[in-house]
Amino acid sequence: MTELRRTADVGIARLDVDRAARTGTPEVVYAAGKTPEQTVTCLAGLLDAGAGPGGGAFAWATRVDAPTAAAVRARWPEAGVDEAARIAWVGELPAPVGRVLVLTAGTSDGPVAAEVAATLAASGVGCARVDDVGVAGVHRVLAVADDLAACDAVVVVAGMDGALPSVVAGLTDRLVVAVPTSVGYGAAFDGLAALLTMLTACAPGVLVVNIDNGFGAGVAAARIVHTLRHGDRPRDQR
Amino acid sequence: MTELRRTADVGIARLDVDRAARTGTPEVVYAAGKTPEQTVTCLAGLLDAGAGPGGGAFAWATRVDAPTAAAVRARWPEAGVDEAARIAWVGELPAPVGRVLVLTAGTSDGPVAAEVAATLAASGVGCARVDDVGVAGVHRVLAVADDLAACDAVVVVAGMDGALPSVVAGLTDRLVVAVPTSVGYGAAFDGLAALLTMLTACAPGVLVVNIDNGFGAGVAAARIVHTLRHGDRPRDQR
Amino acid sequence: MTELRRTADVGIARLDVDRAARTGTPEVVYAAGKTPEQTVTCLAGLLDAGAGPGGGAFAWATRVDAPTAAAVRARWPEAGVDEAARIAWVGELPAPVGRVLVLTAGTSDGPVAAEVAATLAASGVGCARVDDVGVAGVHRVLAVADDLAACDAVVVVAGMDGALPSVVAGLTDRLVVAVPTSVGYGAAFDGLAALLTMLTACAPGVLVVNIDNGFGAGVAAARIVHTLRHGDRPRDQR
Amino acid sequence: MTELRRTADVGIARLDVDRAARTGTPEVVYAAGKTPEQTVTCLAGLLDAGAGPGGGAFAWATRVDAPTAAAVRARWPEAGVDEAARIAWVGELPAPVGRVLVLTAGTSDGPVAAEVAATLAASGVGCARVDDVGVAGVHRVLAVADDLAACDAVVVVAGMDGALPSVVAGLTDRLVVAVPTSVGYGAAFDGLAALLTMLTACAPGVLVVNIDNGFGAGVAAARIVHTLRHGDRPRDQR
Amino acid sequence: MTELRRTADVGIARLDVDRAARTGTPEVVYAAGKTPEQTVTCLAGLLDAGAGPGGGAFAWATRVDAPTAAAVRARWPEAGVDEAARIAWVGELPAPVGRVLVLTAGTSDGPVAAEVAATLAASGVGCARVDDVGVAGVHRVLAVADDLAACDAVVVVAGMDGALPSVVAGLTDRLVVAVPTSVGYGAAFDGLAALLTMLTACAPGVLVVNIDNGFGAGVAAARIVHTLRHGDRPRDQR
Amino acid sequence: MTELRRTADVGIARLDVDRAARTGTPEVVYAAGKTPEQTVTCLAGLLDAGAGPGGGAFAWATRVDAPTAAAVRARWPEAGVDEAARIAWVGELPAPVGRVLVLTAGTSDGPVAAEVAATLAASGVGCARVDDVGVAGVHRVLAVADDLAACDAVVVVAGMDGALPSVVAGLTDRLVVAVPTSVGYGAAFDGLAALLTMLTACAPGVLVVNIDNGFGAGVAAARIVHTLRHGDRPRDQR
Amino acid sequence: MTELRRTADVGIARLDVDRAARTGTPEVVYAAGKTPEQTVTCLAGLLDAGAGPGGGAFAWATRVDAPTAAAVRARWPEAGVDEAARIAWVGELPAPVGRVLVLTAGTSDGPVAAEVAATLAASGVGCARVDDVGVAGVHRVLAVADDLAACDAVVVVAGMDGALPSVVAGLTDRLVVAVPTSVGYGAAFDGLAALLTMLTACAPGVLVVNIDNGFGAGVAAARIVHTLRHGDRPRDQR
Amino acid sequence: MTELRRTADVGIARLDVDRAARTGTPEVVYAAGKTPEQTVTCLAGLLDAGAGPGGGAFAWATRVDAPTAAAVRARWPEAGVDEAARIAWVGELPAPVGRVLVLTAGTSDGPVAAEVAATLAASGVGCARVDDVGVAGVHRVLAVADDLAACDAVVVVAGMDGALPSVVAGLTDRLVVAVPTSVGYGAAFDGLAALLTMLTACAPGVLVVNIDNGFGAGVAAARIVHTLRHGDRPRDQR
């Protein structure tokens, strides 16, 4: 691993150029708290260094607001921007392998699910999405049984009571990645209620990410798919 | 209402003798934080004052531990004690009317459900109980559809993720009273997770009581049944 | 219940068309976090599917801001909008039955009480409202005794210390639904203080909904009235 | 004030000998977290230094458990111990002046009220106590109107919902000192609910001390009475 | 007290007309969460009803923003407005009696101290104010010793660490009313840090109000002064 | 899936017999909050129903204390008990496939790691464990690089600051399951600090379970391995 | 010390003129919550009083927004303003001695690091800054080993998981001052997660300041350097 | 630094043998959560590996309870145990250099101060201790001015309101390390109140450690002294 420690210094940042080689996901620029110019500088540094998968020219950023999206497009007219997901990228998206099922409890959870989907796309993983299957009409959950059986992993996005992952994890043998969202008000406490629900899910096999962290859920699901697909399984223990 | 304000002073307490007449539920002795002797004194005061329904000789206490139960039985050998529910009473239990369905998510929620049931019994309300129908095996919830249709109100008792009321409230048109329990550990935060889940339930029609408050849920459900059964409906508005 | 599981897929949502039949309250569109167009799309889908009571053409939305209200009116000029309550509806309001008493502790709690009232109206339940009866002048509470006696259920809306439901529940035998509001500052913690007060009310029979959740309180109160009025009481237990 | 800064060093503590002269209340030994021997050492140091009112031989301790009480009595057989209040003192109690009304919401709040009363006694202030006047039977509060009119200040001790001070402060023109107690469970959060209620009381004129801090409430009430009784009023401003 | 229960119904509010007679402080209009018109309506109702001290024509409002202040002045050109304190009043201010010392820890605590001062003025109580005596330069606190000796009560306003009341209460025998402010950032948690500091002050005799609640502190201090000055002291207990 | 809904009613519980078939993990008995007898009853019910993998006679329980372990052994002398992990099982452990790497930050995290390992064993998954590689000596983390490369997934168990998963996830492309533990004191808040750290890990690909929830982490890791090993990959999307 | 207690009264503030002499850092104006005019008044007062080091004409302010910066420059055209750090100063910056290493975990932590650096500059202490060395690429931390060896103290600025100080403190024998930042979202809780991580760092020798408090970290680091450089070491104990 | 990475594997732990060489403080065994045998095993491993300062035979443990202390003494009769501090060590204590002043606010803070002192002793640093100088008698703080002037750094230990560091930091130019303790009750929240107070101290130059973390404060103070005394100051920056 010693050789996978290159750093590209662009003044405001020390870019972790070999992160894709080490972890399977290229370094991403977190645009929140950065000026549009800073985000562009970081993206350019990643492109120059070949920080994409396989050393390719690919770079991306999350939490991209409108001014930053405009700055990215001004610099790279061919850049892709998913406005719902607030993700921008420069370079070719990889061909998708595998299939991750992304479920939302309600329509208002859509932007976070979009971030999951865009992260999967940028990671070269296939994605199937079914929206608005909240447990208040639990038959809608039961209706996705075939989708559950035909995927590598499930990502469940839910706000308010965050109850959906508990039900889903009782219906499938695939890993369930739960994303609490800040949808709701009052005792939802900006996603805290859903977060606690998911952490205490009565069905085991639920793993949780930060509130509204569609990016993290996407990266984790991509790790699962890539582990599955690489073919180089470690030998069994003992 | 002026006339319903009698108070019985027993030194350590000023008993609200007319509470049954005003609110439908006789004053109850909260035994936590009281010595066994104090609880016995309060019960005796209520019996002497005729603070039971219809001015009868009935008195009860909640959160009764073993020493207090023994003290009650020593004074009134005929007293009833529900050890699981930690409720003791002296006097005749009223004949039950109506039917409240009490559901638990898991076996560990049993003591709280017992408190609900004992409160209903002391309030003269019928109770049907189905245990261990948590959403990790959601078909167990679907299996109680007939029970849901045949009751006046539903009380749902659940700890950990507290997700059960959300599912139940989407399956019935009866009022759902949700009781979070302190079952669980870590991020369950002694029932806080379940409490927040229930307060933010994505299905409307869920009403919530304090953590482990089976007594409060029972009183509320009894109010519903008594309102239904009294026959003296107010005239429609307008 | 198997037959009550129709879903209308409108792209951004899977509408729970039979919710009125199952639960007594038609599916509602939660407009917060949706664009005006998305809300209109969902309302149209509900109207098309006959998701109102009795399969009628009725649809509604909560948390409707001004742009969404304008979009609704542009599409359906006959739509009703209650601006204080932030509720919009399309279709005929049902004739009200029963009577729910709605109390507020202060004038600033008015918008939440308006949401209760509008929800009751959309649910076909009668409503009587008395404002500004906070416990700082407790005689104002005592003055509503006749109203308490003449209703099916009480909804109490209060912010700051949230003390009003404790007093009211000691004065009546009807169910008390308590709605904490975010009125107040500092240690009110956006309604948390009132929420905790209501959950720990020393008078039993108080049931609580989420902070500012007038909609949930209205639905719950409507369930009580509809259970009362349906006439098809279940047989007594045992 | 320069002269009021004597310190008595007893090894484990630097006793603030002149505190009575400066603040009206002699330094008190907080026995929690101290061994019985340490508490006795501190009391002896205060007695030796003449740290009581007027330089007299008086010393006291709060949060005194049984072993510490025994150690105090072993050293000073004439010592007074109020077991309910967990307060011990050595020396003559001063003659009481003034009258502070101490109210409790329930019997379980008794130990904290006992600490208030014992603190007042040790401070030379008269005390009238009325227990169990919780707002669930609000007529019990109204019944103390005469007591409210005949006191210098009111101390209200309440756990659970902590609603009593709001009602009391709307009925009197005297200062209301509110003491939240840890009575209750679940969302009472060991007194936090009552604390927040009292801090956000809708009736102004409520001042709050720490949870279960009967000592602090007693000292504050004593300050009010002593200010009233000293006769040396400052001249009016302007 | 029965006679002091008049209520003036102005549609949006039920004004507690006799509050001045009962509690010494006239009902105040809490303008936050009200429209300018609603505040004006309430003020007019109070003036019409003679809800001021002694039945006089006096009315006031707190948390008054600029539009509401303008509306008040448009209706009553003679109205007083203290912009720093965000308090408006109509009618004659009473002549001040007594003297309350108001201290601030820093200049940024000024607006809350202004609310204290304006409340005292509207309550007919004299006020002396010394600003910026925070404990980081503790000699500044020691310098107010003469002021402490010449007042009826002290109000201490402090944000950030909220440490000032602990020091002040060790220097005086007057009651110390502590007002935590939301000054600060990060772990100040909008005043929570200062609030907890004050509640746990190691010097007894500190009483606490809600964060930024200068109004409540002023009312409480006024109660002390009025109790002192009324001359009609209750007889000593026993 | 309709056929996988068998329930075994053992009085105190409705056992979800087909959970292994549906989700890959047999229903487990959560022994906390149950009497030893209740746990034995549930285990017997699961054995009778053939609720193990492939319908076999296997049953297990978590959070098993000493009395419960004794009761299990009394009933089934051949039962296995892992005391560190507090897990008991009856029936044959399946042969392990795959390899999950379990890391701990410190020796005190050992019991939780034991629960992970025992859960993996009961799930038929291989496990390699390396203890005490906390980031205070970060070279210890770097030393496990070969282990990271030779596993299917990583489980990281850490208390106090919970910083280990952030470092590990930057060194590997495998999924990192993070388990916060309640090791620590003060601001560790019984595991809350570690939980928040893990949820906000600056390295993506970290998924989190409840505090001290070794069982949940083990089940999730087993799901990953079983998905990998089943061979029946779903077809790629699109 | 008696002589170091001068106070300059400028109406809105009582400036602690001798603070530089007492504590090594001149009194600073906290501009948040002050009007631009108030900040200018305070700065002028400090300049007039000679409140800078050695009694010189130096004054400064933190949390300076754009309008305040403009007001300062209008009054003193020669004033320095560091916009990233939000610090303004009037007078000569002292020559720097010593060297403090300032590390950031990410680019978004830059503004807080700028406040550290500007505080050091105003305190006459040298500063070396290395940005973006977060633990997700831990080799970036290892790469600063030489910098760690060549400094007097280290300040580590980090948001999100706040894990960097734990790693750094295990690599150096210098004091590590940790500054949590509010960078992040969801369970980062505006810096709370990073704060708790740092307080529970598994590597000892980490000291923590308030969230985003670059100023406090800079002052503390300056104290260390000045203690080192003054040469007047106290004699060894014993 | 590459050479300073030796690890001693003792089965239950991977001891960081070179930590003293890297960080100045030898690895310490955290005995909480370990069995007495595990602690002995770790100590033996550290002794064998020469993990003390300069490669010497020295090892120590914190949070040592009575059974563990007995086990340590059984193995090494010459071991030192400070029972108040709960620290045990084997090997020669180094000769002390420098002087750290340790202050406590009250006698109950003594055990934590003992942990600071024992940590300093084990680190070869001199310590002067002054107890019980809380701000309720602020002249006691002023009385330590000479001690403040004659030390290298100050450690302030305080519970309840935690106000002492704010006052001390305004009186000295030395670094102030603040240790909040869990002394207090109610809103002290087991040390949280003191922690927040110290983090928001209005006097800059205060650095904070975890609640009750005397060990961490001692290590940090030792780092300061050792940096001062090593003589090998880095060259000034620029």
Short mmCIF file of all heavy atoms in Angstrom, two decimals, chain A residues 135-136 138 142 160-161 163 166-167 170-171 185 187-189 193 196-197 199-203, chain B residues 135-136 138 142 160-161 163 166-167 170-171 187-189 193 196-197 199-203:
data_model
loop_
_atom_site.label_atom_id
_atom_site.label_comp_id
_atom_site.label_asym_id
_atom_site.label_seq_id
_atom_site.Cartn_x
_atom_site.Cartn_y
_atom_site.Cartn_z
N VAL A 135 -44.57 2.94 5.24
CA VAL A 135 -45.27 1.88 5.95
C VAL A 135 -46.69 2.25 6.34
O VAL A 135 -47.43 1.38 6.82
CB VAL A 135 -44.48 1.46 7.21
CG1 VAL A 135 -43.10 0.98 6.85
CG2 VAL A 135 -44.44 2.59 8.22
N ALA A 136 -47.11 3.50 6.15
CA ALA A 136 -48.50 3.84 6.43
C ALA A 136 -49.44 3.07 5.49
O ALA A 136 -50.62 2.91 5.79
CB ALA A 136 -48.72 5.34 6.29
N VAL A 138 -48.69 -0.37 4.15
CA VAL A 138 -47.60 -1.35 4.17
C VAL A 138 -47.67 -2.30 2.98
O VAL A 138 -46.66 -2.93 2.63
CB VAL A 138 -47.60 -2.10 5.52
CG1 VAL A 138 -48.71 -3.13 5.59
CG2 VAL A 138 -46.24 -2.71 5.81
N LEU A 142 -44.80 -4.50 0.65
CA LEU A 142 -44.88 -5.91 0.25
C LEU A 142 -44.81 -6.05 -1.26
O LEU A 142 -44.35 -7.08 -1.78
CB LEU A 142 -46.19 -6.51 0.79
CG LEU A 142 -46.35 -6.45 2.32
CD1 LEU A 142 -47.72 -6.95 2.73
CD2 LEU A 142 -45.25 -7.24 3.01
N MET A 160 -39.08 11.40 8.81
CA MET A 160 -40.13 11.29 9.84
C MET A 160 -39.81 10.14 10.80
O MET A 160 -38.81 10.16 11.48
CB MET A 160 -41.50 11.13 9.19
CG MET A 160 -41.93 12.37 8.42
SD MET A 160 -43.57 12.13 7.71
CE MET A 160 -43.86 13.73 6.98
N ASP A 161 -40.67 9.10 10.84
CA ASP A 161 -40.45 8.02 11.81
C ASP A 161 -39.35 7.05 11.39
O ASP A 161 -38.89 6.25 12.21
CB ASP A 161 -41.75 7.27 12.09
CG ASP A 161 -42.36 6.66 10.85
OD1 ASP A 161 -41.68 6.55 9.82
OD2 ASP A 161 -43.54 6.27 10.91
N ALA A 163 -39.33 4.32 9.81
CA ALA A 163 -39.69 2.94 10.15
C ALA A 163 -39.47 1.96 9.01
O ALA A 163 -39.48 0.75 9.23
CB ALA A 163 -41.14 2.90 10.61
N SER A 166 -36.86 -1.17 9.07
CA SER A 166 -37.21 -2.29 9.94
C SER A 166 -38.07 -3.30 9.21
O SER A 166 -37.90 -4.52 9.35
CB SER A 166 -37.96 -1.79 11.18
OG SER A 166 -37.12 -1.05 12.02
N VAL A 167 -39.04 -2.79 8.45
CA VAL A 167 -39.94 -3.69 7.73
C VAL A 167 -39.19 -4.37 6.58
O VAL A 167 -39.29 -5.59 6.39
CB VAL A 167 -41.17 -2.92 7.21
CG1 VAL A 167 -42.05 -3.82 6.36
CG2 VAL A 167 -41.97 -2.36 8.38
N GLY A 170 -36.85 -7.27 7.35
CA GLY A 170 -37.52 -8.51 7.72
C GLY A 170 -38.02 -9.27 6.52
O GLY A 170 -38.57 -10.37 6.66
N LEU A 171 -37.86 -8.69 5.33
CA LEU A 171 -38.41 -9.30 4.12
C LEU A 171 -37.34 -9.79 3.16
O LEU A 171 -37.66 -10.39 2.13
CB LEU A 171 -39.29 -8.28 3.37
CG LEU A 171 -40.54 -7.77 4.11
CD1 LEU A 171 -41.19 -6.66 3.31
CD2 LEU A 171 -41.52 -8.92 4.32
N TYR A 185 -40.83 17.54 10.96
CA TYR A 185 -40.76 18.77 11.76
C TYR A 185 -40.91 18.38 13.23
O TYR A 185 -41.14 17.21 13.56
CB TYR A 185 -41.85 19.75 11.33
CG TYR A 185 -43.23 19.20 11.40
CD1 TYR A 185 -43.99 19.29 12.55
CD2 TYR A 185 -43.78 18.55 10.29
CE1 TYR A 185 -45.26 18.76 12.61
CE2 TYR A 185 -45.06 18.01 10.34
CZ TYR A 185 -45.80 18.12 11.50
OH TYR A 185 -47.05 17.58 11.57
N ALA A 187 -40.70 16.96 16.61
CA ALA A 187 -39.93 15.88 17.24
C ALA A 187 -39.15 15.05 16.24
O ALA A 187 -38.45 14.12 16.64
CB ALA A 187 -40.86 15.00 18.07
N ALA A 188 -39.27 15.34 14.95
CA ALA A 188 -38.37 14.70 13.98
C ALA A 188 -36.96 15.23 14.19
O ALA A 188 -35.98 14.57 13.80
CB ALA A 188 -38.84 14.99 12.55
N PHE A 189 -36.84 16.41 14.78
CA PHE A 189 -35.56 17.02 15.14
C PHE A 189 -34.55 16.90 13.99
O PHE A 189 -33.42 16.41 14.17
CB PHE A 189 -35.01 16.39 16.42
CG PHE A 189 -35.79 16.76 17.64
CD1 PHE A 189 -36.30 15.78 18.49
CD2 PHE A 189 -36.06 18.07 17.93
CE1 PHE A 189 -37.05 16.13 19.62
CE2 PHE A 189 -36.81 18.43 19.05
CZ PHE A 189 -37.31 17.45 19.88
N ALA A 193 -34.93 11.73 14.86
CA ALA A 193 -35.89 10.66 15.16
C ALA A 193 -35.67 9.48 14.22
O ALA A 193 -35.59 8.33 14.65
CB ALA A 193 -37.32 11.20 15.05
N LEU A 196 -32.41 7.57 15.07
CA LEU A 196 -32.50 6.68 16.23
C LEU A 196 -33.34 5.44 15.91
O LEU A 196 -33.03 4.33 16.32
CB LEU A 196 -33.09 7.42 17.43
CG LEU A 196 -32.27 8.60 17.96
CD1 LEU A 196 -32.92 9.19 19.19
CD2 LEU A 196 -30.83 8.19 18.25
N THR A 197 -34.43 5.64 15.17
CA THR A 197 -35.26 4.51 14.78
C THR A 197 -34.44 3.47 14.03
O THR A 197 -34.51 2.27 14.29
CB THR A 197 -36.41 4.99 13.86
OG1 THR A 197 -37.11 6.02 14.52
CG2 THR A 197 -37.34 3.85 13.53
N LEU A 199 -31.17 3.05 13.97
CA LEU A 199 -30.12 2.44 14.79
C LEU A 199 -30.69 1.37 15.72
O LEU A 199 -29.99 0.44 16.11
CB LEU A 199 -29.42 3.52 15.63
CG LEU A 199 -28.47 4.43 14.85
CD1 LEU A 199 -28.07 5.62 15.70
CD2 LEU A 199 -27.22 3.68 14.41
N THR A 200 -31.96 1.49 16.07
CA THR A 200 -32.57 0.53 17.00
C THR A 200 -33.54 -0.39 16.29
O THR A 200 -34.40 -1.00 16.94
CB THR A 200 -33.31 1.29 18.12
OG1 THR A 200 -34.31 2.12 17.53
CG2 THR A 200 -32.36 2.14 18.94
N ALA A 201 -33.41 -0.50 14.99
CA ALA A 201 -34.34 -1.32 14.21
C ALA A 201 -34.44 -2.72 14.81
O ALA A 201 -33.44 -3.36 15.11
CB ALA A 201 -33.87 -1.40 12.75
N CYS A 202 -35.67 -3.19 14.98
CA CYS A 202 -35.87 -4.49 15.60
C CYS A 202 -35.48 -5.62 14.66
O CYS A 202 -35.30 -6.75 15.11
CB CYS A 202 -37.31 -4.64 16.08
SG CYS A 202 -38.52 -4.38 14.82
N ALA A 203 -35.32 -5.34 13.39
CA ALA A 203 -34.84 -6.36 12.46
C ALA A 203 -33.34 -6.19 12.28
O ALA A 203 -32.88 -5.12 11.93
CB ALA A 203 -35.54 -6.20 11.11
N VAL B 135 -42.69 -5.55 13.70
CA VAL B 135 -42.66 -5.37 12.26
C VAL B 135 -41.53 -6.11 11.57
O VAL B 135 -41.49 -6.17 10.34
CB VAL B 135 -42.59 -3.87 11.89
CG1 VAL B 135 -43.79 -3.13 12.46
CG2 VAL B 135 -41.30 -3.25 12.37
N ALA B 136 -40.59 -6.68 12.32
CA ALA B 136 -39.55 -7.47 11.67
C ALA B 136 -40.14 -8.69 10.96
O ALA B 136 -39.53 -9.24 10.06
CB ALA B 136 -38.49 -7.91 12.68
N VAL B 138 -43.58 -8.72 9.41
CA VAL B 138 -44.75 -7.83 9.30
C VAL B 138 -46.04 -8.62 9.06
O VAL B 138 -47.14 -8.12 9.31
CB VAL B 138 -44.50 -6.76 8.21
CG1 VAL B 138 -44.65 -7.33 6.83
CG2 VAL B 138 -45.40 -5.55 8.42
N LEU B 142 -50.18 -8.09 9.99
CA LEU B 142 -51.32 -8.26 9.07
C LEU B 142 -52.31 -9.29 9.61
O LEU B 142 -53.51 -9.22 9.34
CB LEU B 142 -50.81 -8.67 7.69
CG LEU B 142 -49.83 -7.67 7.05
CD1 LEU B 142 -49.29 -8.23 5.73
CD2 LEU B 142 -50.51 -6.34 6.82
N MET B 160 -37.56 -0.38 21.51
CA MET B 160 -36.56 -0.31 20.43
C MET B 160 -36.95 0.75 19.40
O MET B 160 -37.02 1.91 19.73
CB MET B 160 -36.39 -1.68 19.78
CG MET B 160 -35.76 -2.69 20.75
SD MET B 160 -35.57 -4.29 19.95
CE MET B 160 -34.75 -5.21 21.23
N ASP B 161 -37.22 0.33 18.15
CA ASP B 161 -37.50 1.32 17.10
C ASP B 161 -38.91 1.89 17.19
O ASP B 161 -39.21 2.89 16.54
CB ASP B 161 -37.23 0.74 15.71
CG ASP B 161 -38.05 -0.50 15.40
OD1 ASP B 161 -39.02 -0.78 16.11
OD2 ASP B 161 -37.70 -1.19 14.44
N ALA B 163 -41.66 1.11 15.84
CA ALA B 163 -42.24 1.29 14.51
C ALA B 163 -43.64 0.73 14.36
O ALA B 163 -44.33 1.03 13.38
CB ALA B 163 -41.32 0.66 13.47
N SER B 166 -46.97 2.95 13.54
CA SER B 166 -47.07 3.49 12.18
C SER B 166 -47.75 2.50 11.25
O SER B 166 -48.59 2.87 10.42
CB SER B 166 -45.67 3.82 11.63
OG SER B 166 -45.10 4.90 12.32
N VAL B 167 -47.37 1.22 11.38
CA VAL B 167 -47.97 0.22 10.50
C VAL B 167 -49.43 -0.03 10.88
O VAL B 167 -50.30 -0.09 10.02
CB VAL B 167 -47.15 -1.09 10.57
CG1 VAL B 167 -47.83 -2.19 9.77
CG2 VAL B 167 -45.74 -0.86 10.07
N GLY B 170 -52.06 2.51 9.78
CA GLY B 170 -52.38 2.48 8.36
C GLY B 170 -53.33 1.35 8.00
O GLY B 170 -53.76 1.23 6.85
N LEU B 171 -53.68 0.52 8.97
CA LEU B 171 -54.52 -0.66 8.71
C LEU B 171 -55.90 -0.56 9.34
O LEU B 171 -56.72 -1.44 9.13
CB LEU B 171 -53.83 -1.92 9.25
CG LEU B 171 -52.49 -2.31 8.62
CD1 LEU B 171 -51.87 -3.46 9.38
CD2 LEU B 171 -52.68 -2.66 7.16
N ALA B 187 -28.63 3.50 21.54
CA ALA B 187 -29.37 4.61 20.95
C ALA B 187 -30.87 4.51 21.19
O ALA B 187 -31.60 5.40 20.76
CB ALA B 187 -29.08 4.70 19.46
N ALA B 188 -31.34 3.46 21.82
CA ALA B 188 -32.74 3.44 22.27
C ALA B 188 -32.95 4.48 23.36
O ALA B 188 -34.07 4.94 23.58
CB ALA B 188 -33.14 2.05 22.77
N PHE B 189 -31.87 4.85 24.05
CA PHE B 189 -31.88 5.90 25.06
C PHE B 189 -33.08 5.77 26.00
O PHE B 189 -33.83 6.73 26.23
CB PHE B 189 -31.85 7.28 24.40
CG PHE B 189 -30.54 7.60 23.74
CD1 PHE B 189 -30.48 7.98 22.42
CD2 PHE B 189 -29.35 7.47 24.44
CE1 PHE B 189 -29.26 8.25 21.80
CE2 PHE B 189 -28.13 7.74 23.83
CZ PHE B 189 -28.08 8.13 22.52
N ALA B 193 -35.91 6.79 21.69
CA ALA B 193 -36.01 6.50 20.26
C ALA B 193 -37.43 6.11 19.90
O ALA B 193 -38.01 6.62 18.93
CB ALA B 193 -35.03 5.39 19.88
N LEU B 196 -39.80 9.18 20.00
CA LEU B 196 -39.71 10.08 18.84
C LEU B 196 -40.32 9.42 17.61
O LEU B 196 -40.99 10.08 16.81
CB LEU B 196 -38.25 10.45 18.58
CG LEU B 196 -37.55 11.24 19.70
CD1 LEU B 196 -36.15 11.64 19.26
CD2 LEU B 196 -38.35 12.47 20.08
N THR B 197 -40.07 8.13 17.44
CA THR B 197 -40.67 7.43 16.31
C THR B 197 -42.18 7.58 16.32
O THR B 197 -42.82 7.87 15.29
CB THR B 197 -40.32 5.94 16.37
OG1 THR B 197 -38.92 5.79 16.48
CG2 THR B 197 -40.82 5.21 15.14
N LEU B 199 -44.05 9.80 17.86
CA LEU B 199 -44.50 11.18 17.69
C LEU B 199 -44.43 11.61 16.22
O LEU B 199 -45.18 12.48 15.79
CB LEU B 199 -43.64 12.13 18.53
CG LEU B 199 -43.91 12.10 20.04
CD1 LEU B 199 -42.81 12.84 20.78
CD2 LEU B 199 -45.26 12.71 20.37
N THR B 200 -43.55 11.01 15.46
CA THR B 200 -43.38 11.39 14.05
C THR B 200 -43.94 10.33 13.12
O THR B 200 -43.57 10.30 11.95
CB THR B 200 -41.89 11.60 13.74
OG1 THR B 200 -41.17 10.39 14.03
CG2 THR B 200 -41.30 12.73 14.56
N ALA B 201 -44.82 9.49 13.62
CA ALA B 201 -45.38 8.40 12.80
C ALA B 201 -45.92 8.94 11.49
O ALA B 201 -46.66 9.93 11.48
CB ALA B 201 -46.48 7.68 13.57
N CYS B 202 -45.56 8.30 10.40
CA CYS B 202 -45.99 8.79 9.10
C CYS B 202 -47.48 8.51 8.87
O CYS B 202 -48.07 9.10 7.97
CB CYS B 202 -45.13 8.19 7.99
SG CYS B 202 -45.13 6.40 7.99
N ALA B 203 -48.09 7.66 9.66
CA ALA B 203 -49.53 7.44 9.56
C ALA B 203 -50.23 8.30 10.59
O ALA B 203 -49.92 8.22 11.78
CB ALA B 203 -49.86 5.97 9.81
#
